[in-house]
Amino acid sequence: MNQESINVKEALADVALFRKALTGTDQDLNESRLVGITLKANFLIQGGIFFLVGVIFIFEMVSGFLLTQTLMSGGQIPELRHTGIALIGLIVGGLVFTLYFVVWRAAKHNGDKVGTYILRNFRYLNHLSFISDLLIKFMVISLI
């Protein structure tokens, strides 16, 4: 009987732990709803990327895959090798800069610090400084 009461107490403690975890998750979701400027910033980032991909796709189709051919010939012609690396670096750099700018403007509009704003509204951007670090390392290694 003593062993059974211990098992029941452990089971109740586990259920209480699950309930606490689920309640905490629901509260986190309610606190991070996308409204106002945060929703606009999300739409701007996602819409901008979708538009950029669409423009690149249309340019590729209309030009007869000019960008692809340029990047592929870069492996054979040494002068174009640097052009391909620079093109990729500029595109990635522009995207990271745009991402920083949109998030910074949204945080400024909301009256928050950028780090706090990112933690609360853009959980997937927690590693934005890591992305910038990788971009700088990519550029340095490419130039070497």
Side-chain angles (χ1 to χ4, degrees):
M1 183 87 106
N2 195 9
Q3 183 66 22
E4 288 179 14
S5 70
I6 292 174
N7 288 340
V8 169
K9 286 181 182 180
E10 288 177 0
L12 289 174
D14 289 342
V15 169
L17 181 64
F18 286 133
R19 179 174 283 167
K20 183 177 179 181
L22 291 174
T23 305
T25 304
D26 291 342
Q27 288 174 352
D28 288 345
L29 290 175
N30 290 336
E31 290 176 7
S32 64
R33 282 195 183 132
L34 299 178
V35 294
I37 192 69
T38 305
L39 183 62
K40 289 178 185 177
N42 269 293
F43 278 140
L44 184 62
I45 291 170
Q46 293 173 14
I49 291 172
F50 182 74
F51 177 75
L52 181 66
V53 168
V55 167
I56 292 173
F57 179 75
I58 291 171
F59 181 77
E60 280 285 293
M61 291 297 142
V62 169
S63 69
F65 302 103
L66 181 65
L67 288 174
T68 303
Q69 290 174 357
T70 303
L71 291 175
M72 288 177 64
S73 63
Q76 300 167 354
I77 303 171
E79 293 84 21
L80 289 179
R81 192 171 296 151
H82 298 294
T83 305
I85 292 171
L87 180 65
I88 292 170
L90 286 173
I91 289 171
V92 171
L95 289 174
V96 169
F97 174 77
T98 303
L99 190 61
Y100 266 122
F101 180 74
V102 169
V103 171
W104 172 77
R105 286 287 297 159
K108 184 178 176 184
H109 186 274
N110 240 14
D112 291 335
K113 292 182 180 179
V114 176
T116 307
Y117 187 77
I118 288 173
L119 284 175
R120 190 176 65 241
N121 298 306
F122 293 92
R123 293 173 193 241
Y124 57 90
L125 291 181
N126 284 338
H127 303 290
L128 191 59
S129 61
F130 179 67
I131 294 170
S132 299
D133 185 46
L134 287 178
L135 172 66
I136 291 171
K137 287 177 183 176
F138 167 78
M139 288 181 174
V140 170
I141 289 173
S142 297
L143 291 175
I144 289 175

